[in-house]
Amino acid sequence: MSSLEHAASQALAMMDLTSLNDDDDEGAIRALCRRTDTPYGAPAAVCLYPAFIDAADRELTAMGIRDRVRIATVTNFPDGSVNVERACRETRAAVAAGADEVDVVFPYKALIGGDAESGRALVSACRDACGDRLLKVILETGELKNPALIRQAADIALECGADFLKTSTGKVATNATLEAAEILLGAIRDSGRDVGFKAAGGIRSSDDAKAYLDLAANIMGEAWLTPAHFRFGASGLLDALLATLSGDDIQPTRGGY
């Protein structure tokens, strides 16, 4: 197995196969779930809007892989409001509906404006609302832009109980970048906490995935690279990984998250 094939195999197992489109419906979500049953194993999770948690649960259960594929959803999404009550209400509802993981958007606009306390309050409250479910905090690094602001957001999320730091919503002009990933991974390393990292948005090739995996291995060590610590939030990436693993050079034509 080549190094690229090895990276593709790793990345497939670390994927949050994502559909967060305005025109999603139950049929689209059932189709998304069916894509998780590949000849090379299943992704770690599907990620979808809260309205489709039940549909995903039913489809994955019918396929016999619900125990292997987790259900992730999004809250306070995509705007990153400072409304703590709204974020907690959405998070509690998602957990009650059966989500295994909740990706909540950090109030990044407030931080840009100099308000760090809103981020602390929201992440802390959503940590409580999540209970024993996984809390991923979306920092929207492409909008924060400044490395110092990205690190500040990361440190706040870590202090307030995030289980994962996630780069992006996939809904802005600049999403995951290696530069932002390096900052988030460094913050995780420096915290000494058992926290994961999720790169989301714009990752569409096996080479892209390998670059993130190599970066994480350099900062955190090879043994850290497991689905418990590393995720890719993507849609079109799955096609590229399967093409690499099957020896097919055809690249995916679909864009997406």
Side-chain angles (χ1 to χ4, degrees), residues 17-168:
L17 183 61
T18 299
S19 189
L20 294 168
N21 302 309
D22 292 341
D23 60 352
D24 281 343
D25 57 21
E26 287 201 8
I29 298 307
R30 287 195 298 271
L32 181 81
C33 291
R34 288 194 290 273
R35 294 184 66 216
T36 65
D37 193 12
T38 85
Y40 306 98
V46 291
C47 184
L48 35 84
Y49 282 121
F52 302 114
I53 293 170
D54 183 62
D57 182 75
R58 284 187 276 109
E59 187 66 26
L60 292 170
T61 299
M63 293 169 63
I65 58 173
R66 179 64 180 91
D67 60 332
R68 290 188 281 139
V69 180
R70 297 167 67 85
I71 296 174
T73 194
V74 291
T75 60
N76 204 37
F77 187 92
D79 55 307
S81 166
V82 297
N83 188 331
V84 175
E85 182 181 352
R86 167 201 163 186
C88 284
R89 181 174 64 251
E90 292 177 354
T91 299
R92 284 193 297 269
V95 169
D100 302 301
E101 306 175 3
V102 177
D103 294 22
V104 63
V105 183
F106 186 89
Y108 62 93
K109 294 173 190 172
L111 185 63
I112 292 169
D115 172 12
E117 293 310 310
S118 289
R120 289 191 178 92
L122 189 139
V123 175
S124 295
C126 288
R127 170 70 277 163
D128 290 341
C130 232
D132 61 357
R133 310 300 170 87
L134 207 66
L135 179 66
K136 306 196 203 84
V137 180
I138 307 172
L139 302 179
E140 204 67 288
T141 55
E143 294 294 290
L144 291 174
K145 297 179 182 176
N146 185 302
L149 271 183
I150 295 171
R151 178 60 188 248
Q152 185 181 10
D155 287 341
I156 291 170
L158 289 164
E159 291 164 8
C160 296
D163 294 309
F164 265 73
L165 300 182
K166 177 178 172 182
T167 58
S168 325

